[in-house]
Amino acid sequence: MINAQIVGATGYGGLGMTELLLRHPHIEITSLLATQDVGKRIGDVYPHLRGFCELAIGEANADTVGRDADIVVFATPDGVGQSYARGLLERGLKVIDYSGDFRFGSPEQYDEYARRHPSIGGRAHSSPELLAESVYGIPELNRERLQGARLVGNPGCFAVAMVLGLAPAAARGLIEPDGLIVDGKTGISGAGKKPGPTYHFPAANESVSPYRIGTHQHDVETGMAIGALMEAPVELAFVPHLVPVTRGIICTIYARLREELPAEAVRAAYEGFYAEEPFVRVLPPGVSPGLASVRGSNFCDLSVTVLPAQRRLIVASSIDNLLKGQAGVALQNMNLMLGFPETTGLERVPMYP
Amino acid sequence: MINAQIVGATGYGGLGMTELLLRHPHIEITSLLATQDVGKRIGDVYPHLRGFCELAIGEANADTVGRDADIVVFATPDGVGQSYARGLLERGLKVIDYSGDFRFGSPEQYDEYARRHPSIGGRAHSSPELLAESVYGIPELNRERLQGARLVGNPGCFAVAMVLGLAPAAARGLIEPDGLIVDGKTGISGAGKKPGPTYHFPAANESVSPYRIGTHQHDVETGMAIGALMEAPVELAFVPHLVPVTRGIICTIYARLREELPAEAVRAAYEGFYAEEPFVRVLPPGVSPGLASVRGSNFCDLSVTVLPAQRRLIVASSIDNLLKGQAGVALQNMNLMLGFPETTGLERVPMYP
Amino acid sequence: MINAQIVGATGYGGLGMTELLLRHPHIEITSLLATQDVGKRIGDVYPHLRGFCELAIGEANADTVGRDADIVVFATPDGVGQSYARGLLERGLKVIDYSGDFRFGSPEQYDEYARRHPSIGGRAHSSPELLAESVYGIPELNRERLQGARLVGNPGCFAVAMVLGLAPAAARGLIEPDGLIVDGKTGISGAGKKPGPTYHFPAANESVSPYRIGTHQHDVETGMAIGALMEAPVELAFVPHLVPVTRGIICTIYARLREELPAEAVRAAYEGFYAEEPFVRVLPPGVSPGLASVRGSNFCDLSVTVLPAQRRLIVASSIDNLLKGQAGVALQNMNLMLGFPETTGLERVPMYP
Amino acid sequence: MINAQIVGATGYGGLGMTELLLRHPHIEITSLLATQDVGKRIGDVYPHLRGFCELAIGEANADTVGRDADIVVFATPDGVGQSYARGLLERGLKVIDYSGDFRFGSPEQYDEYARRHPSIGGRAHSSPELLAESVYGIPELNRERLQGARLVGNPGCFAVAMVLGLAPAAARGLIEPDGLIVDGKTGISGAGKKPGPTYHFPAANESVSPYRIGTHQHDVETGMAIGALMEAPVELAFVPHLVPVTRGIICTIYARLREELPAEAVRAAYEGFYAEEPFVRVLPPGVSPGLASVRGSNFCDLSVTVLPAQRRLIVASSIDNLLKGQAGVALQNMNLMLGFPETTGLERVPMYP
């Protein structure tokens, strides 16, 4: 049995990991740490967990982080994981971090992201020497490096949907690297557990609103991942929108094909690329990748449409933002890091309706 | 491995059972029958099931019902199960029925229900001789009779919430049998998969509306179950309301205590009554049984409040109408019928948020 | 032209009054005061008001309250209006207050309310001598006293729905004074504009949850109003529930008839009682008073059902909580206070769907 | 007083016109026609209208259409208006039609639309000689031709949002004519009143799903309107999405600027273009055009963003699909056709929250 510690256990990201690990046959949660609700049992913070977990929230600090753990999950804001990671690795622990701290392979790339991120404000990475070792946690692209890895940067929720939606076309050289458009729609849980005016029910309900138009930091991450596949810099405009659902992200992706290809050829490329993937489903023509079909699961559902006269490729990519976009992909990465079958604990049927 | 057949597989009730059995270690679905979408694969009817089940929908008729099955689940409207049950029992199969066909112990009780039910219109039961054997499928009340039973009438969704909310007070003789009020609120999935003007999104969204005020048939079923516990006829007024959520039922129950009791005493009676129950949680004071805390699970969450000066007991009872209110309690019953541990396949953490 | 000042202009209650007065032919807003967003234009706080109102928010204090106004609307929490009212009346202004400050006719009644209200905590009224003059602002009961009144206590949102649902039966002596049950459901806007964990979209959406079971202060107010009509103390249990809609309150009311009456007789009593009322609609049998039918209007829709064998009366009462439950009834009261036709500025067709 | 007849009065489009005309000082509804609910009073079909309108639904046929009317509003599917229009014009009536029947200036343009529209299937126009006279009903582009016009084709709901979002950039020559992308999101009321599996509450709620990817007929209409402004054919890819709100459309529009312009210059062009428009609001930087800010009003709110390095223009355009997208713009057009001030009956403050 592997011992796991979750830091940031009272947010939605930590909660998602707790829910998953409660059912994992090989990983046990040994401690839940946070900076809020310290001393409360998790079932008092989240009543739906009553009867499942008797752990109390411990305070996250230098003494507690890493204690009695084989692996530490940082479900924390940017900057926290990078302040602990080196020490934990030196003690022989493994680390996975939900923030942008370890998604980038070089300080230069991290800096580009940090300049864009509103809460980082361009601050330099505190352990830049770890970036070369850390692995970007998208198993469909980096499976081999993730196997046995010590340090993983879990991807951003929007980035998962974007990267999986673009990767086959990028890797097979089907699309032009510039003029990429991604129109994203996210459920409100993507903003986390903390209340705010924008997420107040009467404000968010019955509305749809774009935010951070063209300035969201997830496009940096996506641009680098796709640029690496294309071996060229990509030009990407990304507009996220808040939609009044609790869970789910759908990204509608617009790209220009290099040459006029029939829809069947492009769809076949997608099907081939993901043929062995347990959590990506390329939908047949006429089936729409609605959020409802992936809710509660680790799937990414993709539809592939081509407008031949425009050489226009349109991919719609849906995930549950709290699972494939966060805790689910994290567990998929952890299974790879720890040598367990990749799908362990993740074979969940989506919940419909 | 037990072979199960689901009749009515394309409705939400059949779907719920399919989703549960796909993960059950001892029961296998051998056929899915329906009267619609015959010939389609279930993953084409419900895209979220792609990759989980390759079965095609067969036509439900005299030839197909019961074929290659040890147990048949009728997720069908009133009247269907009763037309097949005798033949299936004679062939040695077990039967569980979602409708009111087998919830009642005598033709007289069934007739009272049938008079109330709008789609039955008072028609007599076609196999009244089976009613004495059939068991009403609320495990918390009828566990012993359910163990090994051949024929079970799965309870109504509202009735589950009402009966579990009233049973401890009724069984312990704490409340008066008349003046019971139940104010129910149900998500729209309770109306099933078939579209209609009332369930059209623009009509149901941003509204709450009572319906069938004082005339809903689930109060007959509840009245009988509670009356049996009290050994007296009960007087019950029930008003269901549609609320704009997909899943969930909450019943707020108002009863008069026989004598002035402190809240602690009443709550202790509830805790004692359900102390060994795996799927009923009596919440501590101050925790509200919101629908969100049971969503996606087989739990019934109960809060118990007393207004001493009024001798007023107020119980709020929440379930996921598609699980504890339908497919979940059905699987709980099936586990008992088949001799499996009662919680098999049902240890699901609620999905929050 | 009458000059009106709104204190508490940045909350939903002040906003509702602003929206109404912008279209009123005889009342003009001369100033908007608040303690937040001071200095901003109202269209910068609420973008939907761009182009309608150029006023900036002034700071509410002893200097500003009442300035250049004929009438002051306190859309403020309990305690604010009572600290200003005497001075304003002495200067010849009229005052309407949204809180409980002036809903009660005596210090004793106010004290009972104040003990119950969580944010007052039993503190005594600071201007108790004004209570005898102040008028409880339900026009259907107190129209004559409201005409020309100087000081009005606008009713609580739930109380409007309850009082209008019970008044005809109480006034005509049809029901018993004890055993009254009110099951209330409110949209989230009833909690105001301030974000909080309970009103965070992912927490409130897809849930229904009871709160303050049997302890909500609006039952004091309702009990007094109905008790006055019955000339007897009433026993009332009230349970409010949060439902995931933005606007609307529906109260489902359960009472015992003194004698067995046919539904037609009771409904006729309601129709007679409200025959001349511009904003109460008694619905015919079979029409459900859903929230959607009153949204955006000043109507209260009532359905009247009788279960004869139980002598049970069930009334469902729906309002838009921000209009008939707050700003709409306030304007109705203001029209009466100021001598304008009662419906001026309120003849709004509900917005459906 | 002008006499108006509404054909298709029981759908959401006819309903919207009824609600607006009930408050119009110069236009009176003399008859409501439909093919469903004939004989019922409109307040029995739509309970929110009780007390506002006593008209009963008449049957729409050759005898009734146009009777006692000065203007006929066809809130009907494609094909109905074109079968009546010539006769009505000959009798001296005016006609406005909600469908695509009169949006196009030539049979060739209509044919292109008709080929795309799923329910027309390429059928030829039955009165092609009227197309040269008919006016496309976007007042911001065609005000002069609409003044006094006899025959107007009301625009498609998505087209209103797209055309208003693109028109300034197109008219001023700021953008390239190809590579236009429009990502649209519509509330479910856009699908009309008729229930269907896609609009069933449990299916539509908590989901977002694209549909008719790249094949929706409103892009034909938009392409022609924008192409006329640019004097060049435009290449446009449009993907509509269903979002779980009742009312509202937001289109996020992506275009390539011809040259690198600062955001201020482009926004100034938009502000100049719409400086005199009563119903278009160009928002300042940082204000997001959420659906909630236009709900219940005739406004189109626009945000204008530029990513200079990409020469990328991003415009977000929000409307209430049932008002500015349908009945509201229709009344704006009717006011122009009839010589009334354009804003009569439309000065509605948006309903927020």
Side-chain angles (χ1 to χ4, degrees):
Chain A
M1 210 66 174
I2 293 288
N3 290 337
Q5 179 182 69
I6 303 174
V7 186
T10 56
Y12 289 158
L15 171 64
M17 182 54 75
T18 299
E19 290 177 355
L20 289 174
L21 292 184
L22 285 171
R23 292 277 159 263
H24 197 287
H26 309 308
I27 309 179
E28 188 172 26
I29 305 172
T30 48
S31 53
L32 298 173
L33 302 183
T35 55
Q36 292 189 335
D37 291 318
V38 171
K40 287 191 186 172
R41 290 194 308 173
I42 189 69
D44 292 329
V45 179
Y46 286 112
H48 73 287
L49 287 183
R50 281 183 174 274
F52 285 96
C53 181
E54 299 303 308
L55 289 172
I57 309 297
E59 188 179 345
N61 58 40
D63 285 341
T64 57
V65 171
R67 187 185 290 166
D68 298 329
D70 302 306
I71 186 166
V72 179
V73 181
F74 286 95
T76 45
D78 286 82
V80 177
Q82 65 184 254
S83 73
Y84 286 107
R86 184 164 44 186
L88 296 171
L89 295 178
E90 287 171 354
R91 290 155 62 186
L93 280 65
K94 299 200 172 201
V95 170
I96 182 165
D97 184 288
Y98 279 22
S99 81
D101 280 12
F102 296 107
R103 291 178 192 157
F104 303 97
S106 71
E108 293 69 31
Q109 289 188 325
Y110 179 79
D111 287 348
E112 184 178 340
Y113 166 83
R115 276 193 302 272
R116 184 69 80 87
H117 195 298
S119 75
I120 304 178
R123 201 171 45 249
H125 200 287
S126 64
S127 292
E129 74 285 0
L130 295 177
L131 295 178
E133 174 183 355
S134 70
V135 187
Y136 181 50
I138 295 200
E140 291 79 3
L141 296 186
N142 295 332
R143 182 165 285 117
E144 291 194 9
R145 289 191 61 211
L146 288 164
Q147 286 166 338
R150 299 195 308 161
L151 177 59
V152 169
N154 211 48
C157 51
F158 272 122
V160 172
M162 286 192 252
V163 169
L164 293 179
L166 279 165
R172 303 278 160 97
L174 304 182
I175 53 175
E176 296 180 358
D178 52 7
L180 295 174
I181 303 285
V182 181
D183 191 283
K185 299 94 182 166
T186 179
I188 317 289
S189 67
K193 188 196 175 191
K194 193 177 170 193
T198 309
Y199 319 122
H200 191 45
F201 186 92
N205 187 39
E206 290 290 289
S207 201
V208 173
S209 51
Y211 64 100
R212 301 187 58 201
I213 298 176
T215 67
H216 193 286
Q217 74 275 7
H218 285 180
D219 63 5
V220 176
E221 181 183 339
T222 303
M224 289 179 187
I226 297 305
L229 291 173
M230 300 192 74
E231 297 174 356
V234 303
E235 184 208 54
L236 171 66
F238 170 49
V239 179
H241 299 73
L242 278 183
V243 290
V245 306
T246 297
R247 284 171 172 250
I249 278 178
I250 182 167
C251 285
T252 313
I253 301 166
Y254 304 83
R256 187 80 81 174
L257 294 169
R258 282 186 196 278
E259 53 186 291
E260 196 177 321
L261 287 170
E264 296 68 28
V266 181
R267 191 174 297 114
Y270 273 73
E271 289 169 348
F273 193 87
Y274 290 127
E276 304 300 318
E277 287 299 334
F279 294 120
V280 181
R281 301 189 290 197
V282 180
L283 302 175
V287 179
S288 176
L291 297 183
S293 292
V294 295
R295 179 171 55 225
S297 81
N298 200 47
F299 287 104
C300 176
D301 275 7
L302 299 174
S303 76
V304 178
T305 306
V306 172
L307 308 184
Q310 299 189 15
R311 287 190 290 118
R312 177 63 66 195
L313 169 64
I314 303 172
V315 178
S317 172
S318 290
I319 58 172
D320 183 320
N321 62 308
L322 297 179
L323 289 167
K324 186 60 171 170
Q326 194 172 56
V329 68
L331 180 53
Q332 196 178 349
N333 287 324
M334 287 166 64
N335 284 331
L336 290 167
M337 294 165 78
L338 297 165
F340 300 129
E342 187 173 337
T343 62
T344 308
L346 292 168
E347 308 93 337
R348 298 157 63 107
V349 183
M351 188 177 90
Y352 183 91
Chain B
M1 211 66 174
I2 293 288
N3 290 337
Q5 179 182 70
I6 303 174
V7 186
T10 56
Y12 289 158
L15 171 64
M17 182 54 75
T18 298
E19 291 177 354
L20 289 174
L21 293 184
L22 285 172
R23 292 277 160 262
H24 197 288
H26 309 308
I27 309 178
E28 187 172 29
I29 304 172
T30 47
S31 52
L32 299 173
L33 303 182
T35 54
Q36 292 189 333
D37 291 319
V38 171
K40 287 190 187 174
R41 290 194 308 173
I42 189 70
D44 291 329
V45 180
Y46 286 113
H48 72 290
L49 288 183
R50 274 179 184 277
F52 286 96
C53 181
E54 298 302 309
L55 288 172
I57 309 297
E59 188 178 346
N61 59 40
D63 284 341
T64 57
V65 172
R67 187 184 291 168
D68 297 329
D70 302 305
I71 187 166
V72 178
V73 181
F74 286 95
T76 44
D78 286 82
V80 177
Q82 64 182 254
S83 73
Y84 286 106
R86 185 162 45 186
L88 296 171
L89 296 178
E90 287 171 354
R91 288 156 61 184
L93 279 67
K94 298 200 172 202
V95 170
I96 183 164
D97 184 287
Y98 279 22
S99 80
D101 280 11
F102 296 106
R103 293 177 192 158
F104 303 96
S106 71
E108 293 71 30
Q109 289 189 325
Y110 180 80
D111 287 348
E112 186 179 338
Y113 166 83
R115 275 194 302 273
R116 185 69 80 86
H117 195 299
S119 75
I120 305 179
R123 202 171 46 248
H125 201 288
S126 63
S127 293
E129 75 286 358
L130 295 178
L131 296 179
E133 175 183 355
S134 71
V135 188
Y136 182 50
I138 296 202
E140 291 79 5
L141 297 186
N142 296 332
R143 182 166 287 115
E144 292 195 8
R145 288 191 61 209
L146 287 163
Q147 287 168 336
R150 299 195 308 161
L151 177 59
V152 170
N154 211 49
C157 52
F158 273 122
V160 172
M162 286 193 251
V163 168
L164 294 178
L166 279 164
R172 303 275 161 100
L174 304 182
I175 54 173
E176 296 181 357
D178 52 7
L180 295 173
I181 303 285
V182 181
D183 192 284
K185 299 93 181 166
T186 181
I188 316 289
S189 67
K193 188 196 173 190
K194 193 178 169 190
T198 309
Y199 319 122
H200 190 47
F201 186 92
N205 187 38
E206 289 292 289
S207 200
V208 173
S209 52
Y211 64 100
R212 300 186 58 199
I213 297 176
T215 66
H216 194 285
Q217 74 276 7
H218 286 181
D219 64 5
V220 175
E221 180 183 341
T222 303
M224 289 178 186
I226 298 303
L229 292 173
M230 301 192 75
E231 296 174 357
V234 303
E235 183 208 56
L236 172 66
F238 170 50
V239 179
H241 300 72
L242 278 183
V243 291
V245 305
T246 297
R247 283 170 171 251
I249 277 179
I250 181 166
C251 285
T252 313
I253 301 166
Y254 304 84
R256 187 79 83 174
L257 293 169
R258 281 185 195 278
E259 52 186 291
E260 196 177 321
L261 287 170
E264 295 71 28
V266 182
R267 193 175 295 113
Y270 273 72
E271 289 169 348
F273 193 87
Y274 290 127
E276 305 300 320
E277 287 300 335
F279 295 120
V280 182
R281 300 189 291 195
V282 180
L283 302 175
V287 179
S288 178
L291 297 184
S293 292
V294 296
R295 181 172 51 225
S297 81
N298 200 46
F299 286 105
C300 176
D301 274 8
L302 298 174
S303 76
V304 178
T305 307
V306 172
L307 307 183
Q310 299 189 17
R311 290 191 288 118
R312 179 62 68 195
L313 170 64
I314 303 172
V315 178
S317 173
S318 291
I319 59 172
D320 183 321
N321 63 307
L322 296 179
L323 289 168
K324 187 60 173 171
Q326 195 172 54
V329 68
L331 180 54
Q332 197 178 348
N333 287 324
M334 286 167 64
N335 284 331
L336 290 167
M337 295 166 77
L338 297 166
F340 300 126
E342 188 173 336
T343 60
T344 308
L346 293 167
E347 308 94 338
R348 296 156 63 106
V349 183
M351 188 176 92
Y352 182 91
Chain C
M1 211 66 172
I2 293 289
N3 290 337
Q5 179 181 69
I6 302 174
V7 186
T10 56
Y12 289 158
L15 171 64
M17 182 54 76
T18 298
E19 291 177 353
L20 288 174
L21 292 184
L22 285 172
R23 292 275 159 263
H24 197 287
H26 309 308
I27 309 178
E28 188 173 25
I29 305 172
T30 47
S31 52
L32 299 173
L33 303 183
T35 54
Q36 291 189 336
D37 291 319
V38 171
K40 286 191 188 174
R41 291 194 309 174
I42 189 70
D44 292 329
V45 180
Y46 286 113
H48 72 290
L49 288 183
R50 273 178 185 280
F52 286 96
C53 181
E54 299 302 308
L55 289 171
I57 310 295
E59 188 179 348
N61 59 40
D63 285 339
T64 57
V65 171
R67 186 184 293 167
D68 297 329
D70 302 305
I71 187 165
V72 179
V73 181
F74 286 96
T76 44
D78 286 82
V80 177
Q82 64 183 253
S83 73
Y84 286 106
R86 187 164 41 186
L88 296 171
L89 295 177
E90 287 171 355
R91 289 157 60 184
L93 279 66
K94 299 199 173 204
V95 171
I96 182 164
D97 184 288
Y98 280 21
S99 80
D101 280 12
F102 295 107
R103 292 178 192 157
F104 304 97
S106 72
E108 293 70 31
Q109 290 188 325
Y110 180 79
D111 287 349
E112 186 179 338
Y113 166 83
R115 277 193 302 272
R116 184 69 80 82
H117 195 298
S119 75
I120 305 179
R123 201 171 47 248
H125 200 286
S126 63
S127 292
E129 74 286 358
L130 295 177
L131 296 178
E133 175 184 354
S134 70
V135 188
Y136 182 50
I138 296 201
E140 291 79 3
L141 296 185
N142 295 333
R143 181 166 287 115
E144 291 194 8
R145 288 191 62 210
L146 288 163
Q147 287 167 337
R150 300 195 308 161
L151 178 58
V152 170
N154 211 48
C157 52
F158 272 123
V160 172
M162 285 193 251
V163 169
L164 293 179
L166 279 164
R172 303 275 161 100
L174 303 182
I175 53 174
E176 297 181 358
D178 53 6
L180 295 174
I181 303 285
V182 181
D183 192 283
K185 299 94 182 165
T186 181
I188 316 290
S189 68
K193 188 195 174 191
K194 194 178 169 191
T198 309
Y199 319 121
H200 191 46
F201 186 92
N205 186 39
E206 289 291 290
S207 200
V208 174
S209 51
Y211 64 100
R212 301 187 56 202
I213 298 176
T215 67
H216 194 284
Q217 74 275 9
H218 285 181
D219 64 5
V220 176
E221 180 183 341
T222 303
M224 289 178 188
I226 297 304
L229 292 172
M230 301 192 74
E231 297 175 356
V234 303
E235 184 207 58
L236 172 66
F238 171 49
V239 179
H241 299 73
L242 278 183
V243 290
V245 306
T246 297
R247 284 170 170 251
I249 277 179
I250 180 166
C251 285
T252 313
I253 301 167
Y254 304 84
R256 186 81 82 176
L257 293 169
R258 283 187 196 277
E259 53 186 291
E260 196 177 320
L261 286 171
E264 295 70 27
V266 181
R267 191 174 297 114
Y270 272 73
E271 289 169 349
F273 193 88
Y274 290 127
E276 304 300 319
E277 287 300 335
F279 295 121
V280 181
R281 300 189 292 196
V282 180
L283 302 176
V287 179
S288 177
L291 298 183
S293 293
V294 296
R295 180 171 54 224
S297 80
N298 200 46
F299 286 105
C300 177
D301 275 6
L302 298 175
S303 76
V304 178
T305 307
V306 172
L307 308 183
Q310 300 189 16
R311 290 190 289 118
R312 179 61 69 195
L313 170 64
I314 303 172
V315 178
S317 173
S318 290
I319 59 173
D320 183 318
N321 63 308
L322 296 179
L323 289 168
K324 187 60 173 170
Q326 195 172 57
V329 68
L331 180 53
Q332 197 178 349
N333 287 324
M334 287 167 64
N335 284 332
L336 289 167
M337 295 166 77
L338 297 165
F340 300 128
E342 187 174 337
T343 60
T344 308
L346 292 167
E347 307 94 335
R348 296 156 63 106
V349 183
M351 189 177 91
Y352 183 89
Chain D
M1 211 66 174
I2 293 288
N3 290 336
Q5 178 183 68
I6 302 174
V7 186
T10 56
Y12 288 158
L15 171 63
M17 183 53 74
T18 299
E19 291 177 355
L20 288 175
L21 292 184
L22 284 171
R23 292 278 159 261
H24 197 286
H26 309 308
I27 309 179
E28 187 172 28
I29 304 173
T30 47
S31 53
L32 299 172
L33 303 182
T35 54
Q36 292 188 334
D37 291 318
V38 172
K40 286 191 188 174
R41 290 195 308 175
I42 189 71
D44 291 329
V45 180
Y46 286 112
H48 73 289
L49 287 184
R50 275 181 181 278
F52 286 96
C53 182
E54 299 303 308
L55 289 171
I57 309 296
E59 189 179 346
N61 59 40
D63 284 339
T64 57
V65 171
R67 187 185 290 168
D68 298 328
D70 302 306
I71 186 165
V72 178
V73 181
F74 286 95
T76 44
D78 285 81
V80 177
Q82 65 183 250
S83 73
Y84 286 106
R86 183 163 44 185
L88 296 171
L89 295 178
E90 286 170 356
R91 288 156 61 186
L93 280 65
K94 298 199 172 202
V95 170
I96 182 165
D97 184 289
Y98 280 22
S99 80
D101 280 12
F102 295 107
R103 291 178 192 156
F104 302 97
S106 70
E108 293 69 30
Q109 290 188 325
Y110 180 80
D111 287 347
E112 185 178 339
Y113 166 83
R115 276 193 302 273
R116 185 68 80 85
H117 195 298
S119 75
I120 304 179
R123 203 171 44 249
H125 200 286
S126 63
S127 292
E129 74 286 1
L130 296 177
L131 295 178
E133 174 182 356
S134 70
V135 187
Y136 182 50
I138 295 200
E140 291 79 4
L141 296 186
N142 295 333
R143 182 166 286 116
E144 291 195 9
R145 288 192 61 210
L146 288 163
Q147 285 167 338
R150 300 194 309 162
L151 177 59
V152 170
N154 211 48
C157 51
F158 272 122
V160 172
M162 286 193 250
V163 168
L164 294 179
L166 279 165
R172 302 279 160 98
L174 304 181
I175 53 174
E176 296 182 357
D178 52 7
L180 296 174
I181 303 285
V182 181
D183 191 284
K185 300 92 180 165
T186 180
I188 317 288
S189 67
K193 188 193 174 193
K194 193 177 170 193
T198 309
Y199 319 122
H200 191 46
F201 186 92
N205 187 39
E206 290 290 290
S207 200
V208 173
S209 51
Y211 63 101
R212 301 186 57 202
I213 299 176
T215 66
H216 193 285
Q217 74 276 7
H218 285 180
D219 63 5
V220 175
E221 182 183 339
T222 303
M224 288 178 189
I226 298 304
L229 291 173
M230 301 193 73
E231 297 174 357
V234 302
E235 183 207 56
L236 171 66
F238 171 49
V239 179
H241 299 73
L242 278 183
V243 290
V245 305
T246 297
R247 282 170 172 253
I249 277 178
I250 182 167
C251 286
T252 313
I253 301 167
Y254 304 83
R256 187 80 81 174
L257 294 169
R258 282 186 195 277
E259 52 187 292
E260 196 176 320
L261 288 171
E264 296 69 28
V266 181
R267 191 175 298 112
Y270 273 72
E271 289 169 347
F273 192 87
Y274 290 127
E276 304 300 319
E277 286 300 333
F279 296 120
V280 181
R281 300 189 292 195
V282 180
L283 302 175
V287 179
S288 176
L291 297 183
S293 292
V294 296
R295 180 172 54 224
S297 81
N298 200 47
F299 286 105
C300 177
D301 275 7
L302 298 175
S303 76
V304 178
T305 306
V306 172
L307 307 184
Q310 300 189 17
R311 288 189 291 120
R312 178 62 68 193
L313 169 65
I314 303 173
V315 178
S317 172
S318 289
I319 58 171
D320 184 320
N321 63 308
L322 297 179
L323 289 168
K324 187 61 172 169
Q326 195 172 54
V329 68
L331 180 53
Q332 196 178 350
N333 287 324
M334 285 166 65
N335 284 332
L336 289 167
M337 294 165 78
L338 296 165
F340 300 128
E342 186 173 338
T343 62
T344 308
L346 292 168
E347 307 92 338
R348 297 157 65 106
V349 183
M351 189 178 91
Y352 181 89

